[in-house]
Amino acid sequence: MKRLPLIFIIFTLVATLMLNGCEGEVCPPNAMAYAKFTLVSQHGTAVAPTVPTSIIGQMTADVTVFDTLDNGEIVERIVEDSIISDTLINKESNMSTFKVPLSYSDETTFIISYDGEQQDYITIKHRNIPYFMSVDCGTMMFHEATEVTHSYGIDSVVIVNPNIDNYEKENFRIYFTIADTQ
């Protein structure tokens, strides 16, 4: 009878330790994969546009549209190859790096708009890689960059690391020709 409280305490302690061991899986704080770009001069030094710069993401997809006819009937139709745009970074100044997500299609285009005056285009072709973490954390989409093209305002775009995942590392380096000041 004197041992009953001691057995109860031991049982409670063991049960508490076992339940604490059954915690859910720790999911990564960032489940999105972002492509990281660095802006550099022809010499490889970081540059930053001094004017407000915006980054707009574009992708092509088939879109379902619902039209209402004069008689009130709703007709569904598919508009193929629609361009969908979204402003990802809005009017940032002195930005020498930026991170943006890629689309789930196999190609993503980014428009770099310098104060609305000049625009450069970067198109990335990529392979999507679904990555299943766990039941608790769900699925993440990683990407592998396979090709990059750009407009003429940019000297070149180099794929530094083609694997785009949720680790923050440089993936692309954008080269500009900057006038040397002496």
Side-chain angles (χ1 to χ4, degrees), residues 103-165:
S103 70
Y104 286 0
S105 67
D106 61 352
E107 182 176 289
T108 306
T109 298
F110 297 105
I111 301 170
I112 305 172
S113 176
Y114 309 98
D115 200 21
E117 303 286 324
Q118 178 186 355
Q119 292 183 342
D120 284 321
Y121 296 83
I122 298 173
T123 300
I124 300 170
K125 291 187 179 181
H126 50 86
R127 185 172 68 90
N128 298 320
I129 306 164
Y131 179 74
F132 179 73
M133 278 290 293
S134 68
V135 174
D136 292 336
C137 298
T139 303
M140 295 186 283
M141 185 67 76
F142 294 157
H143 311 278
E144 178 185 20
T146 57
E147 182 183 339
V148 63
T149 56
H150 57 86
S151 61
Y152 296 109
I154 297 172
D155 286 344
S156 64
V157 179
V158 175
I159 301 173
V160 176
N161 185 344
N163 299 317
I164 301 163
D165 48 33

Short mmCIF file of all heavy atoms in Angstrom, two decimals, residues 103-165:
data_model
loop_
_atom_site.label_atom_id
_atom_site.label_comp_id
_atom_site.label_asym_id
_atom_site.label_seq_id
_atom_site.Cartn_x
_atom_site.Cartn_y
_atom_site.Cartn_z
N SER A 103 7.21 28.99 -61.56
CA SER A 103 5.87 28.44 -61.76
C SER A 103 5.94 26.92 -61.79
O SER A 103 7.01 26.33 -61.92
CB SER A 103 5.27 28.97 -63.06
OG SER A 103 5.95 28.40 -64.16
N TYR A 104 4.78 26.29 -61.71
CA TYR A 104 4.71 24.83 -61.77
C TYR A 104 4.64 24.33 -63.20
O TYR A 104 4.60 23.14 -63.44
CB TYR A 104 3.53 24.31 -60.96
CG TYR A 104 3.74 24.38 -59.46
CD1 TYR A 104 4.90 24.88 -58.92
CD2 TYR A 104 2.76 23.95 -58.59
CE1 TYR A 104 5.09 24.95 -57.55
CE2 TYR A 104 2.94 24.02 -57.21
CZ TYR A 104 4.10 24.51 -56.71
OH TYR A 104 4.29 24.57 -55.35
N SER A 105 4.60 25.25 -64.18
CA SER A 105 4.74 24.83 -65.58
C SER A 105 6.23 24.63 -65.83
O SER A 105 7.04 24.80 -64.91
CB SER A 105 4.13 25.88 -66.52
OG SER A 105 4.88 27.07 -66.48
N ASP A 106 6.63 24.31 -67.04
CA ASP A 106 8.04 24.03 -67.29
C ASP A 106 8.83 25.25 -67.75
O ASP A 106 10.00 25.14 -68.11
CB ASP A 106 8.19 22.89 -68.30
CG ASP A 106 7.57 23.22 -69.64
OD1 ASP A 106 6.89 24.27 -69.75
OD2 ASP A 106 7.75 22.44 -70.59
N GLU A 107 8.19 26.44 -67.74
CA GLU A 107 8.88 27.65 -68.15
C GLU A 107 8.31 28.84 -67.38
O GLU A 107 7.10 28.96 -67.21
CB GLU A 107 8.68 27.85 -69.65
CG GLU A 107 9.39 29.04 -70.22
CD GLU A 107 9.23 29.12 -71.74
OE1 GLU A 107 9.83 28.29 -72.44
OE2 GLU A 107 8.49 30.01 -72.19
N THR A 108 9.21 29.71 -66.90
CA THR A 108 8.81 30.92 -66.19
C THR A 108 9.56 32.10 -66.77
O THR A 108 10.76 32.01 -67.01
CB THR A 108 9.12 30.80 -64.69
OG1 THR A 108 8.55 29.61 -64.17
CG2 THR A 108 8.60 31.99 -63.92
N THR A 109 8.84 33.19 -67.00
CA THR A 109 9.46 34.42 -67.51
C THR A 109 9.36 35.49 -66.43
O THR A 109 8.33 35.63 -65.78
CB THR A 109 8.75 34.90 -68.79
OG1 THR A 109 8.90 33.90 -69.79
CG2 THR A 109 9.35 36.21 -69.29
N PHE A 110 10.46 36.22 -66.25
CA PHE A 110 10.49 37.34 -65.32
C PHE A 110 10.75 38.62 -66.11
O PHE A 110 11.60 38.65 -66.99
CB PHE A 110 11.57 37.16 -64.26
CG PHE A 110 11.35 35.98 -63.38
CD1 PHE A 110 12.10 34.83 -63.53
CD2 PHE A 110 10.37 36.00 -62.40
CE1 PHE A 110 11.89 33.73 -62.73
CE2 PHE A 110 10.14 34.91 -61.59
CZ PHE A 110 10.91 33.77 -61.75
N ILE A 111 9.99 39.65 -65.78
CA ILE A 111 10.21 40.97 -66.36
C ILE A 111 10.81 41.83 -65.26
O ILE A 111 10.25 41.95 -64.17
CB ILE A 111 8.89 41.60 -66.84
CG1 ILE A 111 8.23 40.70 -67.89
CG2 ILE A 111 9.12 43.00 -67.38
CD1 ILE A 111 6.82 41.11 -68.23
N ILE A 112 11.98 42.40 -65.53
CA ILE A 112 12.61 43.33 -64.60
C ILE A 112 12.31 44.72 -65.12
O ILE A 112 12.78 45.10 -66.20
CB ILE A 112 14.13 43.09 -64.50
CG1 ILE A 112 14.42 41.64 -64.11
CG2 ILE A 112 14.75 44.04 -63.48
CD1 ILE A 112 15.89 41.27 -64.17
N SER A 113 11.51 45.46 -64.39
CA SER A 113 11.07 46.79 -64.81
C SER A 113 11.79 47.84 -63.97
O SER A 113 11.64 47.89 -62.75
CB SER A 113 9.56 46.92 -64.64
OG SER A 113 9.14 48.22 -64.95
N TYR A 114 12.59 48.68 -64.63
CA TYR A 114 13.36 49.71 -63.96
C TYR A 114 12.55 51.00 -64.00
O TYR A 114 12.55 51.70 -65.02
CB TYR A 114 14.72 49.91 -64.63
CG TYR A 114 15.48 48.64 -64.82
CD1 TYR A 114 15.47 47.98 -66.05
CD2 TYR A 114 16.20 48.07 -63.78
CE1 TYR A 114 16.18 46.79 -66.23
CE2 TYR A 114 16.90 46.89 -63.95
CZ TYR A 114 16.88 46.26 -65.18
OH TYR A 114 17.56 45.09 -65.36
N ASP A 115 11.86 51.33 -62.93
CA ASP A 115 11.08 52.55 -62.78
C ASP A 115 10.05 52.72 -63.89
O ASP A 115 9.69 53.83 -64.26
CB ASP A 115 12.01 53.77 -62.72
CG ASP A 115 11.33 54.97 -62.08
OD1 ASP A 115 10.33 54.79 -61.34
OD2 ASP A 115 11.78 56.10 -62.32
N GLY A 116 9.60 51.61 -64.47
CA GLY A 116 8.61 51.65 -65.53
C GLY A 116 9.14 52.18 -66.85
O GLY A 116 8.41 52.27 -67.82
N GLU A 117 10.41 52.55 -66.92
CA GLU A 117 11.01 53.13 -68.12
C GLU A 117 11.59 52.06 -69.04
O GLU A 117 11.38 52.08 -70.23
CB GLU A 117 12.13 54.11 -67.73
CG GLU A 117 11.69 55.23 -66.82
CD GLU A 117 10.88 56.27 -67.56
OE1 GLU A 117 11.19 56.53 -68.73
OE2 GLU A 117 9.94 56.81 -66.96
N GLN A 118 12.34 51.14 -68.48
CA GLN A 118 13.04 50.12 -69.26
C GLN A 118 12.69 48.76 -68.67
O GLN A 118 12.47 48.62 -67.46
CB GLN A 118 14.55 50.36 -69.18
CG GLN A 118 15.37 49.33 -69.91
CD GLN A 118 16.86 49.52 -69.67
OE1 GLN A 118 17.28 50.48 -69.04
NE2 GLN A 118 17.64 48.58 -70.16
N GLN A 119 12.65 47.76 -69.55
CA GLN A 119 12.35 46.41 -69.09
C GLN A 119 13.32 45.41 -69.68
O GLN A 119 13.71 45.54 -70.84
CB GLN A 119 10.92 46.00 -69.49
CG GLN A 119 9.85 46.78 -68.78
CD GLN A 119 8.46 46.28 -69.16
OE1 GLN A 119 8.27 45.62 -70.15
NE2 GLN A 119 7.48 46.61 -68.32
N ASP A 120 13.71 44.45 -68.86
CA ASP A 120 14.50 43.31 -69.31
C ASP A 120 13.69 42.05 -69.04
O ASP A 120 12.89 42.01 -68.10
CB ASP A 120 15.84 43.23 -68.55
CG ASP A 120 16.83 44.27 -69.03
OD1 ASP A 120 16.89 44.51 -70.25
OD2 ASP A 120 17.56 44.82 -68.18
N TYR A 121 13.92 41.04 -69.87
CA TYR A 121 13.20 39.78 -69.75
C TYR A 121 14.18 38.64 -69.51
O TYR A 121 15.24 38.60 -70.13
CB TYR A 121 12.41 39.48 -71.03
CG TYR A 121 11.33 40.47 -71.32
CD1 TYR A 121 11.59 41.67 -71.96
CD2 TYR A 121 10.02 40.20 -70.93
CE1 TYR A 121 10.60 42.59 -72.22
CE2 TYR A 121 9.01 41.12 -71.20
CZ TYR A 121 9.30 42.31 -71.85
OH TYR A 121 8.30 43.21 -72.10
N ILE A 122 13.82 37.74 -68.61
CA ILE A 122 14.58 36.52 -68.38
C ILE A 122 13.59 35.37 -68.42
O ILE A 122 12.58 35.39 -67.72
CB ILE A 122 15.30 36.54 -67.01
CG1 ILE A 122 16.30 37.68 -66.95
CG2 ILE A 122 15.97 35.21 -66.73
CD1 ILE A 122 16.94 37.88 -65.60
N THR A 123 13.88 34.36 -69.25
CA THR A 123 13.02 33.18 -69.34
C THR A 123 13.83 31.97 -68.90
O THR A 123 14.94 31.74 -69.40
CB THR A 123 12.50 32.97 -70.78
OG1 THR A 123 11.75 34.13 -71.15
CG2 THR A 123 11.62 31.75 -70.86
N ILE A 124 13.28 31.23 -67.95
CA ILE A 124 13.95 30.05 -67.41
C ILE A 124 13.12 28.83 -67.76
O ILE A 124 11.93 28.77 -67.45
CB ILE A 124 14.09 30.16 -65.88
CG1 ILE A 124 14.91 31.39 -65.52
CG2 ILE A 124 14.73 28.89 -65.31
CD1 ILE A 124 14.89 31.71 -64.06
N LYS A 125 13.76 27.87 -68.43
CA LYS A 125 13.13 26.57 -68.64
C LYS A 125 13.62 25.68 -67.51
O LYS A 125 14.81 25.68 -67.17
CB LYS A 125 13.50 26.00 -70.00
CG LYS A 125 12.88 26.77 -71.13
CD LYS A 125 13.11 26.12 -72.45
CE LYS A 125 12.43 26.95 -73.52
NZ LYS A 125 12.59 26.37 -74.84
N HIS A 126 12.68 24.94 -66.91
CA HIS A 126 13.04 24.15 -65.74
C HIS A 126 12.23 22.88 -65.67
O HIS A 126 11.17 22.75 -66.26
CB HIS A 126 12.86 24.97 -64.45
CG HIS A 126 11.52 25.64 -64.34
ND1 HIS A 126 10.41 25.00 -63.82
CD2 HIS A 126 11.12 26.88 -64.67
CE1 HIS A 126 9.39 25.83 -63.85
NE2 HIS A 126 9.78 26.99 -64.36
N ARG A 127 12.78 21.93 -64.95
CA ARG A 127 12.12 20.66 -64.68
C ARG A 127 11.61 20.72 -63.25
O ARG A 127 12.34 21.10 -62.34
CB ARG A 127 13.14 19.52 -64.84
CG ARG A 127 12.57 18.14 -64.70
CD ARG A 127 13.62 17.10 -65.08
NE ARG A 127 14.70 17.04 -64.13
CZ ARG A 127 14.73 16.25 -63.07
NH1 ARG A 127 13.72 15.45 -62.81
NH2 ARG A 127 15.76 16.24 -62.26
N ASN A 128 10.34 20.38 -63.05
CA ASN A 128 9.75 20.39 -61.72
C ASN A 128 9.96 19.05 -61.04
O ASN A 128 9.77 18.00 -61.65
CB ASN A 128 8.25 20.71 -61.80
CG ASN A 128 8.01 22.07 -62.38
OD1 ASN A 128 8.73 23.02 -62.08
ND2 ASN A 128 7.01 22.20 -63.22
N ILE A 129 10.34 19.09 -59.78
CA ILE A 129 10.63 17.88 -59.02
C ILE A 129 9.79 17.90 -57.75
O ILE A 129 10.14 18.58 -56.78
CB ILE A 129 12.13 17.80 -58.65
CG1 ILE A 129 12.99 17.94 -59.91
CG2 ILE A 129 12.44 16.52 -57.90
CD1 ILE A 129 14.43 18.26 -59.65
N PRO A 130 8.66 17.16 -57.71
CA PRO A 130 7.88 17.11 -56.47
C PRO A 130 8.68 16.36 -55.41
O PRO A 130 9.31 15.34 -55.68
CB PRO A 130 6.62 16.33 -56.84
CG PRO A 130 6.71 16.04 -58.29
CD PRO A 130 8.06 16.40 -58.78
N TYR A 131 8.67 16.89 -54.20
CA TYR A 131 9.42 16.28 -53.10
C TYR A 131 8.47 16.08 -51.93
O TYR A 131 7.96 17.04 -51.36
CB TYR A 131 10.60 17.18 -52.70
CG TYR A 131 11.41 16.63 -51.55
CD1 TYR A 131 12.26 15.56 -51.74
CD2 TYR A 131 11.31 17.19 -50.28
CE1 TYR A 131 13.00 15.05 -50.69
CE2 TYR A 131 12.04 16.69 -49.23
CZ TYR A 131 12.88 15.62 -49.44
OH TYR A 131 13.60 15.12 -48.40
N PHE A 132 8.22 14.83 -51.60
CA PHE A 132 7.31 14.51 -50.50
C PHE A 132 8.10 14.49 -49.20
O PHE A 132 8.99 13.66 -49.02
CB PHE A 132 6.65 13.15 -50.74
CG PHE A 132 5.73 12.73 -49.63
CD1 PHE A 132 4.50 13.34 -49.47
CD2 PHE A 132 6.09 11.73 -48.75
CE1 PHE A 132 3.65 12.97 -48.44
CE2 PHE A 132 5.25 11.34 -47.73
CZ PHE A 132 4.03 11.96 -47.57
N MET A 133 7.78 15.42 -48.29
CA MET A 133 8.45 15.48 -46.99
C MET A 133 7.89 14.43 -46.05
O MET A 133 8.60 13.57 -45.58
CB MET A 133 8.26 16.87 -46.36
CG MET A 133 9.20 17.93 -46.85
SD MET A 133 10.87 17.69 -46.30
CE MET A 133 10.74 17.94 -44.56
N SER A 134 6.61 14.55 -45.76
CA SER A 134 5.92 13.64 -44.85
C SER A 134 4.43 13.95 -44.91
O SER A 134 4.02 14.93 -45.54
CB SER A 134 6.44 13.82 -43.41
OG SER A 134 6.05 15.09 -42.92
N VAL A 135 3.64 13.16 -44.22
CA VAL A 135 2.20 13.40 -44.18
C VAL A 135 1.93 14.73 -43.48
O VAL A 135 1.06 15.50 -43.91
CB VAL A 135 1.48 12.24 -43.46
CG1 VAL A 135 0.01 12.54 -43.29
CG2 VAL A 135 1.67 10.95 -44.24
N ASP A 136 2.67 15.03 -42.42
CA ASP A 136 2.46 16.28 -41.68
C ASP A 136 2.89 17.50 -42.47
O ASP A 136 2.24 18.53 -42.45
CB ASP A 136 3.22 16.25 -40.35
CG ASP A 136 2.65 15.25 -39.37
OD1 ASP A 136 1.46 14.92 -39.51
OD2 ASP A 136 3.39 14.79 -38.49
N CYS A 137 4.01 17.40 -43.18
CA CYS A 137 4.58 18.56 -43.87
C CYS A 137 4.08 18.70 -45.30
O CYS A 137 4.15 19.78 -45.87
CB CYS A 137 6.10 18.46 -43.88
SG CYS A 137 6.83 18.47 -42.23
N GLY A 138 3.63 17.64 -45.91
CA GLY A 138 3.11 17.70 -47.27
C GLY A 138 4.20 17.60 -48.31
O GLY A 138 5.30 17.10 -48.07
N THR A 139 3.89 18.11 -49.51
CA THR A 139 4.79 18.03 -50.66
C THR A 139 5.33 19.41 -51.00
O THR A 139 4.61 20.40 -50.92
CB THR A 139 4.03 17.46 -51.88
OG1 THR A 139 3.50 16.19 -51.54
CG2 THR A 139 4.95 17.32 -53.07
N MET A 140 6.59 19.48 -51.35
CA MET A 140 7.21 20.71 -51.83
C MET A 140 7.57 20.51 -53.29
O MET A 140 7.74 19.38 -53.74
CB MET A 140 8.47 21.02 -51.02
CG MET A 140 8.21 21.32 -49.57
SD MET A 140 9.69 21.84 -48.69
CE MET A 140 10.51 20.28 -48.47
N MET A 141 7.67 21.59 -54.03
CA MET A 141 8.08 21.52 -55.43
C MET A 141 9.45 22.15 -55.56
O MET A 141 9.64 23.33 -55.30
CB MET A 141 7.07 22.24 -56.33
CG MET A 141 7.35 22.09 -57.81
SD MET A 141 7.15 20.42 -58.44
CE MET A 141 5.38 20.31 -58.51
N PHE A 142 10.42 21.32 -55.95
CA PHE A 142 11.75 21.81 -56.26
C PHE A 142 11.85 21.91 -57.78
O PHE A 142 11.01 21.38 -58.51
CB PHE A 142 12.82 20.87 -55.72
CG PHE A 142 12.87 20.81 -54.21
CD1 PHE A 142 13.42 19.70 -53.57
CD2 PHE A 142 12.39 21.83 -53.42
CE1 PHE A 142 13.47 19.64 -52.19
CE2 PHE A 142 12.44 21.78 -52.04
CZ PHE A 142 12.99 20.67 -51.42
N HIS A 143 12.90 22.58 -58.27
CA HIS A 143 13.07 22.78 -59.70
C HIS A 143 14.53 22.57 -60.07
O HIS A 143 15.42 22.77 -59.25
CB HIS A 143 12.67 24.21 -60.12
CG HIS A 143 11.34 24.64 -59.58
ND1 HIS A 143 10.16 24.29 -60.17
CD2 HIS A 143 11.01 25.38 -58.50
CE1 HIS A 143 9.15 24.81 -59.49
NE2 HIS A 143 9.65 25.47 -58.47
N GLU A 144 14.75 22.20 -61.33
CA GLU A 144 16.10 22.13 -61.88
C GLU A 144 16.12 22.99 -63.13
O GLU A 144 15.40 22.69 -64.11
CB GLU A 144 16.48 20.70 -62.21
CG GLU A 144 17.85 20.58 -62.82
CD GLU A 144 18.18 19.17 -63.27
OE1 GLU A 144 17.25 18.37 -63.47
OE2 GLU A 144 19.38 18.89 -63.43
N ALA A 145 16.90 24.07 -63.12
CA ALA A 145 17.00 24.96 -64.28
C ALA A 145 17.77 24.26 -65.38
O ALA A 145 18.85 23.72 -65.15
CB ALA A 145 17.68 26.26 -63.89
N THR A 146 17.20 24.24 -66.59
CA THR A 146 17.86 23.58 -67.71
C THR A 146 18.35 24.57 -68.77
O THR A 146 19.30 24.27 -69.48
CB THR A 146 16.90 22.57 -68.37
OG1 THR A 146 15.70 23.24 -68.78
CG2 THR A 146 16.56 21.44 -67.40
N GLU A 147 17.70 25.73 -68.86
CA GLU A 147 18.09 26.71 -69.87
C GLU A 147 17.60 28.09 -69.44
O GLU A 147 16.56 28.22 -68.81
CB GLU A 147 17.44 26.33 -71.20
CG GLU A 147 17.77 27.23 -72.35
CD GLU A 147 17.03 26.82 -73.63
OE1 GLU A 147 16.59 25.66 -73.74
OE2 GLU A 147 16.88 27.70 -74.50
N VAL A 148 18.37 29.11 -69.80
CA VAL A 148 17.95 30.49 -69.49
C VAL A 148 18.25 31.36 -70.70
O VAL A 148 19.30 31.24 -71.33
CB VAL A 148 18.64 31.01 -68.20
CG1 VAL A 148 20.14 31.08 -68.34
CG2 VAL A 148 18.08 32.35 -67.79
N THR A 149 17.27 32.21 -71.04
CA THR A 149 17.45 33.19 -72.11
C THR A 149 17.10 34.56 -71.55
O THR A 149 16.45 34.66 -70.50
CB THR A 149 16.56 32.87 -73.33
OG1 THR A 149 15.20 32.81 -72.91
CG2 THR A 149 16.96 31.56 -73.97
N HIS A 150 17.53 35.62 -72.25
CA HIS A 150 17.33 36.98 -71.72
C HIS A 150 17.21 37.96 -72.85
O HIS A 150 17.55 37.67 -74.00
CB HIS A 150 18.48 37.36 -70.78
CG HIS A 150 19.82 37.28 -71.45
ND1 HIS A 150 20.35 38.31 -72.19
CD2 HIS A 150 20.73 36.27 -71.50
CE1 HIS A 150 21.53 37.94 -72.66
NE2 HIS A 150 21.79 36.71 -72.26
N SER A 151 16.77 39.18 -72.52
CA SER A 151 16.65 40.26 -73.51
C SER A 151 18.01 40.93 -73.67
O SER A 151 18.98 40.62 -72.97
CB SER A 151 15.58 41.26 -73.06
OG SER A 151 15.94 41.84 -71.83
N TYR A 152 18.06 41.91 -74.58
CA TYR A 152 19.34 42.52 -74.95
C TYR A 152 19.86 43.54 -73.95
O TYR A 152 21.01 43.95 -74.04
CB TYR A 152 19.22 43.15 -76.34
CG TYR A 152 18.97 42.10 -77.40
CD1 TYR A 152 17.73 42.01 -78.02
CD2 TYR A 152 19.95 41.20 -77.75
CE1 TYR A 152 17.49 41.04 -78.98
CE2 TYR A 152 19.73 40.23 -78.71
CZ TYR A 152 18.50 40.15 -79.32
OH TYR A 152 18.26 39.19 -80.26
N GLY A 153 19.07 43.97 -72.99
CA GLY A 153 19.55 44.91 -71.98
C GLY A 153 20.47 44.26 -70.97
O GLY A 153 21.17 44.93 -70.22
N ILE A 154 20.48 42.93 -70.96
CA ILE A 154 21.31 42.15 -70.05
C ILE A 154 22.45 41.55 -70.87
O ILE A 154 22.22 41.04 -71.97
CB ILE A 154 20.47 41.01 -69.40
CG1 ILE A 154 19.36 41.62 -68.53
CG2 ILE A 154 21.34 40.07 -68.60
CD1 ILE A 154 18.37 40.60 -68.00
N ASP A 155 23.68 41.60 -70.35
CA ASP A 155 24.80 41.00 -71.08
C ASP A 155 24.68 39.48 -71.12
O ASP A 155 24.78 38.87 -72.17
CB ASP A 155 26.14 41.38 -70.42
CG ASP A 155 26.52 42.81 -70.71
OD1 ASP A 155 25.93 43.41 -71.63
OD2 ASP A 155 27.39 43.35 -70.01
N SER A 156 24.49 38.88 -69.94
CA SER A 156 24.34 37.43 -69.88
C SER A 156 23.73 37.03 -68.55
O SER A 156 23.74 37.80 -67.59
CB SER A 156 25.70 36.73 -70.06
OG SER A 156 26.57 37.06 -69.00
N VAL A 157 23.18 35.83 -68.53
CA VAL A 157 22.67 35.23 -67.31
C VAL A 157 23.32 33.86 -67.21
O VAL A 157 23.25 33.05 -68.14
CB VAL A 157 21.13 35.09 -67.32
CG1 VAL A 157 20.65 34.42 -66.04
CG2 VAL A 157 20.45 36.43 -67.51
N VAL A 158 23.98 33.61 -66.08
CA VAL A 158 24.69 32.36 -65.87
C VAL A 158 23.97 31.56 -64.80
O VAL A 158 23.59 32.10 -63.76
CB VAL A 158 26.15 32.64 -65.44
CG1 VAL A 158 26.88 31.35 -65.10
CG2 VAL A 158 26.88 33.41 -66.51
N ILE A 159 23.78 30.27 -65.07
CA ILE A 159 23.21 29.37 -64.06
C ILE A 159 24.35 28.95 -63.14
O ILE A 159 25.24 28.21 -63.54
CB ILE A 159 22.56 28.13 -64.71
CG1 ILE A 159 21.44 28.54 -65.67
CG2 ILE A 159 22.03 27.18 -63.63
CD1 ILE A 159 20.85 27.38 -66.47
N VAL A 160 24.35 29.46 -61.92
CA VAL A 160 25.39 29.15 -60.94
C VAL A 160 25.09 27.81 -60.28
O VAL A 160 25.97 26.98 -60.10
CB VAL A 160 25.49 30.27 -59.87
CG1 VAL A 160 26.50 29.92 -58.80
CG2 VAL A 160 25.83 31.59 -60.53
N ASN A 161 23.85 27.61 -59.89
CA ASN A 161 23.41 26.36 -59.27
C ASN A 161 22.04 26.03 -59.84
O ASN A 161 21.06 26.72 -59.56
CB ASN A 161 23.35 26.51 -57.75
CG ASN A 161 23.03 25.21 -57.06
OD1 ASN A 161 22.57 24.26 -57.68
ND2 ASN A 161 23.26 25.17 -55.77
N PRO A 162 21.92 24.96 -60.66
CA PRO A 162 20.64 24.67 -61.31
C PRO A 162 19.57 24.12 -60.37
O PRO A 162 18.39 24.13 -60.71
CB PRO A 162 21.02 23.64 -62.38
CG PRO A 162 22.23 22.96 -61.83
CD PRO A 162 22.97 24.03 -61.06
N ASN A 163 19.97 23.65 -59.21
CA ASN A 163 19.01 23.04 -58.26
C ASN A 163 18.37 24.12 -57.40
O ASN A 163 19.02 24.71 -56.55
CB ASN A 163 19.71 22.00 -57.39
CG ASN A 163 20.30 20.88 -58.23
OD1 ASN A 163 19.66 20.41 -59.16
ND2 ASN A 163 21.52 20.50 -57.93
N ILE A 164 17.08 24.33 -57.61
CA ILE A 164 16.34 25.36 -56.89
C ILE A 164 15.47 24.65 -55.86
O ILE A 164 14.55 23.92 -56.21
CB ILE A 164 15.50 26.21 -57.86
CG1 ILE A 164 16.43 26.85 -58.89
CG2 ILE A 164 14.67 27.23 -57.10
CD1 ILE A 164 15.74 27.36 -60.10
N ASP A 165 15.78 24.85 -54.60
CA ASP A 165 15.05 24.21 -53.51
C ASP A 165 14.83 25.24 -52.41
O ASP A 165 14.94 26.43 -52.65
CB ASP A 165 15.78 22.96 -53.01
CG ASP A 165 17.26 23.23 -52.75
OD1 ASP A 165 17.60 24.36 -52.35
OD2 ASP A 165 18.07 22.31 -52.96
#
